[in-house]
Amino acid sequence: MLTSLDFLKIGQIFPPAIETSRLEKYYTNKRIFEGEHELVYKENFDRIARHINNFQEVVSYSVICNFQKLISLKIADFMLGEEPIISCGDDNSKQQIAVDNIIENSDLINTCYSLAIDLSRYGDGVFNIYKDEEGKGIIDITQPSFYFKVVDAQNIKKVQHHVLAHKYKKLKSNTLLNTLFSDDNQYDDFLYVEIHSKGYVEKFTYKLSKQGYIESVTEQSEPIETGLDDFAIVPVHNLLTSDRVYGIDDYSDIDSIISEIEVRISQIAKILDNHAEPSMQGPETALEYNKNTGKYELKIGNYFPRESKDDAEVSYITWDAQLQASFTQIEKLINILAVISEMGSAIFDFDNKLGQAASGTALKRMMISPLAKVNRVRMSVDSALKKAIKLASQLGGEDIIDLSKEKINIFWNDGLPNDEKEEAEIYNVRTGGKATISQYSAIKRLDNLTDEDTQAELTAIQE
C-alpha cells in the first residue's frame, strides 16, 4: 500500500512496484472480460501436460466459455436493469429538481452500470466529480488502473490523497530525429498526474525514461480549488476487509474452474473433429487405380465381390468415444462454479428451470444467492452514490442547489420481472376481494392505450 507521495519523486519508477500486481490483475481481467481466454490461460497447457501426454497436440482453446463476462453483466443487470428511484424531498421540490438534473447531466444510470461492471471484474470502481465546460456538476467514472490510494500508515481506512495517474506518449518535435530512429524512439514517454486533497487538486506532468523512471517535471500547477468540501474522487470497492486497501474481484476465485471447463470442452471438441470423417475397411478389390492422381481410390456405390468368406467386408469403421467421464467432470465443474461464484445454477439456466412457468416467489427463491451477492455490492454503491450526488450539487448549474445538508434516498429494485398474476392474487386476499384498480386504468395499462383510445374502448363496452 502507498502511505506517501514519495512514489512520484524524481528517480522513482512508475508504476511503483507495490502496485504492479494489482495493475496486472486489472489487465488480465480486462482480457478475460473481452474474451481473450486463449492468451490468459495459456499457462494451463503446462499444468495439464503433466497428466495428459502430448497435451499441446490434442487440445486447443477452440471453445471459449466466458462465464466471467456473464457474471459481471448479470450483477449490473440486477442492480440497474430496473432503474432505481433517487429522491430528495417532494416531487416538485427544489431538492428533487436538483437531483433529477444531476442524474440527467451525468447520464447517471448508464454511468453506474459501467461502474457495476468494473466492481465485478476489477473489484474497484472510481467516481470522479468535476465541473464541465458548461458549468454543470458532473458525476463520471475513471478506470481503476489510473487510480492510486495514499493512506495513513497507522490507519489504512484514513485516506490522505487520491491520485489519478496514467502514461502517454508524445511525438518528438525534431522531425530529423524522427526519420533516423525507429518507431519506438520517435516518441517521448510522459506521466500525467492529478493529486486530490480535500477541496483541492494539483496537476503534474512528468518526463519518463524508456525504462519507466521519472526524470523531470515538465508542467506543474498550483493547488486548484475544486469547489468541494471533500475529495473529488469517490472510490467504490466490491469486497473490502480490514486489511485491504483495494477490493476483491469476482474473477480470481473462479479462474481455475473456468479454465478447466474450457480445457475439457476443447479437448472433447478436438477429439470429435478428428473422428468427424468416418474411415472404411474392405478388400483390395474395392480399390480402383486413378491414372490422373496415380493413387488407388475407393469407388462408393459399386459392387465389390468377395472371393471367399475370409475376405473383409466393405464397411465403415465405427468408433466408441467413451467421453462420459469428461462430460461428468464438466457437469461437476459447472456445479462448483455456480457455488463459488455465488450466482447459483439458475442464473445460467443449466437445468432449464427458467424455461418453465415459475411463480415470482419460486424465481426469487432460486435467485437467493445471486441477489445476496448483488445486495452486498449495492450497499457499497449506495453510500458512494449519495456522496457523489451531494458533491456534484456543490458545483452548481441550472436549477441545482447545494444538497450537502439534505437527506437523499435511493430505492433499488431487484432486477427480476414482477409476477403480476401472483401480486393480483395477494391484493385480492388482502382486500377481501375488493377492486384495487379502476376499469379505465386496467384497459389503459394492459393494452398500452392513449386516454382517447381508452375512453373509446370503455364507451364501446358500455354500449
Side-chain angles (χ1 to χ4, degrees):
M1 61 184 177
L2 300 172
T3 57
S4 70
L5 295 174
D6 290 346
F7 71 100
L8 295 175
K9 288 184 177 181
I10 304 299
Q12 296 294 320
I13 191 169
F14 188 89
I18 199 170
E19 297 289 321
T20 302
S21 60
R22 174 177 69 95
L23 298 177
E24 287 177 350
K25 181 194 70 175
Y26 288 167
Y27 179 65
T28 298
N29 289 359
K30 179 178 184 294
R31 299 177 77 180
I32 290 174
F33 182 84
E34 295 176 357
E36 299 179 15
H37 294 206
E38 70 280 0
L39 300 176
V40 176
Y41 297 141
K42 190 173 182 180
E43 293 182 359
N44 289 346
F45 283 141
D46 298 331
R47 174 179 61 82
I48 301 181
R50 294 195 295 269
H51 304 285
I52 302 176
N53 294 330
N54 298 323
F55 179 80
Q56 286 84 350
E57 299 176 5
V58 176
V59 180
S60 65
Y61 280 92
S62 57
V63 180
I64 300 299
C65 303
N66 203 341
F67 288 107
Q68 293 99 325
K69 180 179 180 181
L70 177 61
I71 290 171
S72 296
L73 293 180
K74 288 301 180 183
I75 289 175
D77 288 340
F78 281 142
M79 284 186 60
L80 297 146
E82 291 183 80
E83 186 172 326
I85 299 172
I86 305 176
S87 65
C88 183
D90 298 329
D91 289 344
N92 296 320
S93 64
K94 293 181 179 180
Q95 292 85 350
Q96 186 61 47
I97 292 173
V99 169
D100 293 339
N101 286 335
I102 292 172
I103 294 173
E104 182 179 357
N105 295 340
S106 304
D107 191 16
L108 193 56
I109 302 304
N110 288 327
T111 300
C112 289
Y113 192 95
S114 298
L115 179 85
I117 293 176
D118 284 351
L119 287 173
S120 176
R121 61 177 178 170
Y122 299 139
D124 304 294
V126 184
F127 280 124
N128 186 6
I129 295 87
Y130 60 89
K131 181 180 289 188
D132 67 1
E133 296 80 3
E134 299 177 1
K136 301 176 183 177
I138 299 296
I139 301 174
D140 204 350
I141 59 173
T142 299
Q143 53 184 298
S145 59
F146 290 177
Y147 174 66
F148 300 85
K149 186 188 293 186
V150 180
V151 299
D152 189 336
Q154 306 301 321
N155 181 6
I156 64 173
K157 299 299 180 183
K158 185 178 180 181
V159 179
Q160 299 185 69
H161 302 282
H162 293 295
V163 178
L164 300 180
H166 68 273
K167 297 179 181 180
Y168 68 95
K169 293 181 179 293
K170 186 175 180 181
L171 189 66
K172 292 180 178 179
S173 57
N174 193 321
T175 55
L176 177 60
L177 290 176
N178 293 341
T179 59
L180 297 176
F181 292 111
S182 61
D183 290 342
D184 188 50
N185 290 324
Q186 291 182 19
Y187 295 88
D188 286 326
D189 295 321
F190 292 90
L191 175 66
Y192 175 75
V193 176
E194 292 182 5
I195 301 176
H196 288 265
S197 306
K198 288 187 176 181
Y200 295 92
V201 59
E202 297 176 78
K203 299 181 180 181
F204 298 85
T205 301
Y206 296 94
K207 175 74 167 55
L208 297 178
S209 68
K210 290 300 178 182
Q211 293 75 30
Y213 289 92
I214 299 176
E215 291 184 337
S216 60
V217 178
T218 59
E219 293 181 22
Q220 178 179 355
S221 71
E222 296 295 328
I224 303 170
E225 292 187 5
T226 59
L228 306 174
D229 59 9
D230 206 334
F231 293 104
I233 302 298
V234 181
V236 192
H237 304 291
N238 186 349
L239 181 60
L240 202 60
T241 58
S242 61
D243 56 350
R244 291 186 63 91
V245 175
Y246 300 100
I248 300 174
D249 64 285
D250 291 333
Y251 292 3
S252 299
D253 290 340
I254 60 176
D255 273 347
S256 60
I257 301 172
I258 294 176
S259 65
E260 186 73 15
I261 291 173
E262 292 182 343
V263 164
R264 295 308 167 197
I265 294 177
S266 298
Q267 183 183 26
I268 292 172
K270 189 71 173 181
I271 293 172
L272 293 176
D273 286 342
N274 290 337
H275 295 274
E277 185 177 357
S279 301
M280 297 187 70
Q281 63 181 357
E284 293 183 0
T285 55
L287 299 177
E288 182 179 329
Y289 184 75
N290 188 328
K291 296 180 179 179
N292 295 326
T293 62
K295 297 179 180 179
Y296 285 94
E297 298 177 355
L298 178 65
K299 295 296 183 180
I300 304 297
N302 294 338
Y303 171 72
F304 307 111
R306 296 174 63 192
E307 296 180 358
S308 67
K309 293 182 179 181
D310 296 332
D311 288 346
E313 295 182 359
V314 178
S315 62
Y316 285 103
I317 299 175
T318 59
W319 166 67
D320 188 0
Q322 296 294 331
L323 294 174
Q324 186 56 43
S326 295
F327 287 116
T328 301
Q329 185 189 21
I330 291 172
E331 183 180 354
K332 297 297 183 183
L333 288 171
I334 289 176
N335 290 336
I336 295 172
L337 171 64
V339 175
I340 300 300
S341 67
E342 301 181 68
M343 300 306 288
S345 59
I347 199 70
F348 306 118
D349 198 15
F350 296 130
D351 301 324
N352 197 29
K353 293 179 180 178
L354 301 184
Q356 303 170 2
S359 66
T361 302
L363 183 61
K364 288 185 178 181
R365 285 177 179 173
M366 289 189 289
M367 296 291 184
I368 286 178
S369 183
L371 289 177
K373 179 185 180 73
V374 171
N375 187 60
R376 185 171 63 237
V377 179
R378 184 184 291 130
M379 287 190 296
S380 299
V381 176
D382 185 273
S383 58
L385 183 56
K386 290 177 181 177
K387 183 177 182 180
I389 292 174
K390 289 182 178 182
L391 290 173
S393 71
Q394 295 178 16
L395 298 178
E398 186 177 356
D399 294 327
I400 296 179
I401 61 173
D402 188 352
L403 301 173
S404 56
K405 304 297 183 182
E406 304 292 338
K407 182 179 180 180
I408 297 176
N409 296 310
I410 303 178
F411 301 95
W412 301 90
N413 297 299
D414 57 18
L416 297 177
N418 295 327
D419 190 334
E420 295 184 0
K421 181 180 179 181
E422 187 176 42
E423 290 177 352
E425 291 173 350
I426 294 173
Y427 289 141
N428 184 64
V429 172
R430 294 187 62 179
T431 60
K434 303 295 183 182
T436 58
I437 188 174
S438 68
Q439 191 177 9
Y440 180 93
S441 297
I443 294 173
K444 181 177 180 180
R445 294 178 188 177
L446 289 175
D447 296 333
N448 195 25
L449 301 177
T450 63
D451 290 338
E452 183 179 353
D453 292 337
T454 303
Q455 188 58 53
E457 189 68 21
L458 273 176
T459 304
I461 292 173
Q462 293 169 358
E463 292 178 352

